[in-house]
Amino acid sequence: MKLALSTLGLPGIPLAQVARLAARTGFHGVELRVHPEAHVHPGLDAGRRKAIAATFEASGIEILALAGYARVADPDDENDLPQLIGLARDLGAAHLRVFPGGTGSRGDDDTAVRRLTDASHLARDSNIRILLETHDSHRTGEAVARVLDRVGADADGVGALWDVMHTWLGGESPGESYRHLAPRLGYTQVKDIASAEDTTPLPLGAGVLPLAECLALLPPDGWVCWEYEKRWYPEAAPLPGLLRAGRRYLTSITPGGEG
């Protein structure tokens, strides 16, 4: 199984340092946060895009995904999906993460289906896959699959991203979530927390999330990304000092791994 880390856990750290850190601690890829306050955003010129791609390539680290903040179920969302797809293409990322971000109306699914369908052909032609994350208004595998089933089986440019915390908070078992998401699963995000009431990030294995049960369901060649939410919880322990132990933990609970 291939392991990635999210730059959400490394706010403000230069990308060259991120690449070196990932390589030194045994990770294979990165999920790059896309935001105006981050080092990756649609305003980057062509030269900077090439430089970022070259930085990770030189370190042997794959850019697994760009973590964008488009809310595809929100009709008032102003994120430009074609612009984000172009950024992902230029950086050599395989995936673009989007949120549901529904407003609670009965038209949420319709909005998400329309926007994903409209963007799917450009994504496919750009060799990018848009992944709808289990999050906010559609936090369960069942809810995300409900949207993706309507986008259609021929929409190769669209898939699912399994955030195991949100499906757990939504009351699904790992088996239920995986059954819904497996046909279109791009990759899986893992993290750990103390409880449903306290979602401050913890070292992997120190909390309550059923990580071993989730990883046991995944294909052996799949990607798992550690999304440590340091940006939202500044009081959490710094991620760099946790990375080696986190990688060892993920490997130990992976079928056929070191454990």
Side-chain angles (χ1 to χ4, degrees), residues 15 19 24 42 52 55 67 76 101 111 128 135 137 159 169 187 197 223 239 241 259:
L15 294 179
R24 189 170 66 244
I52 291 172
T55 293
D76 297 322
T111 301
I128 303 297
H135 198 274
S137 62
L169 290 172
Y187 66 97
E197 294 73 36
W223 277 94
L239 180 59

Side-chain angles (χ1 to χ4, degrees), residues 38-246:
H39 297 293
V40 178
H41 54 81
L44 297 176
D45 62 26
R48 183 59 185 147
R49 295 181 186 207
K50 289 180 181 178
I52 291 172
T55 293
F56 286 98
E57 184 177 3
S59 296
I61 298 298
E62 184 172 339
I63 299 178
L64 172 64
L66 300 190
Y69 288 89
R71 304 181 304 277
V72 295
D74 180 358
D76 297 322
D77 175 54
E78 296 182 353
N79 283 277
D80 187 324
L81 281 178
Q83 191 178 56
L84 290 169
I85 291 167
L87 178 62
R89 179 199 61 220
D90 292 347
L91 296 183
H95 305 99
L96 170 66
R97 186 280 306 276
V98 298
F99 284 148
T103 60
S105 74
R106 290 191 297 177
D108 283 352
D109 282 12
D110 294 338
T111 301
V113 169
R114 175 181 53 78
R115 292 190 71 195
L116 290 171
T117 300
D118 288 348
S120 66
H121 303 293
L122 176 60
R124 184 187 60 211
D125 292 346
S126 301
N127 204 28
I128 303 297
R129 199 172 182 206
I130 303 170
L131 300 184
L132 180 61
E133 183 174 330
T134 54
H135 198 274
D136 51 71
S137 62
H138 294 63
R139 75 183 340 169
T140 64
E142 184 279 330
V144 164
R146 187 179 67 228
V147 170
L148 296 181
D149 285 346
R150 289 181 55 195
V151 173
D154 61 342
D156 296 334
V158 177
L161 172 54
W162 183 13
D163 182 321
V164 302
M165 181 184 77
H166 282 282
T167 55
W168 181 80
L169 290 172
E172 279 186 340
S173 70
E176 289 171 328
S177 300
Y178 185 72
R179 176 171 55 84
H180 288 299
L181 299 173
R184 297 184 180 87
L185 184 61
Y187 66 97
T188 300
Q189 283 181 346
V190 296
K191 61 195 73 175
D192 221 342
I193 56 174
S195 67
E197 294 73 36
D198 183 2
T199 56
T200 304
L202 296 175
L204 295 176
V208 297
L209 294 183
L211 300 180
E213 189 176 350
C214 292
L215 265 62
L217 298 166
L218 300 178
D221 60 346
W223 277 94
V224 172
C225 178
W226 185 4
E227 188 190 45
Y228 187 81
E229 297 183 331
K230 174 70 172 175
R231 173 61 182 85
W232 311 128
Y233 297 87
E235 71 278 13
L239 180 59
L242 305 177
L243 286 172
R244 290 187 187 276

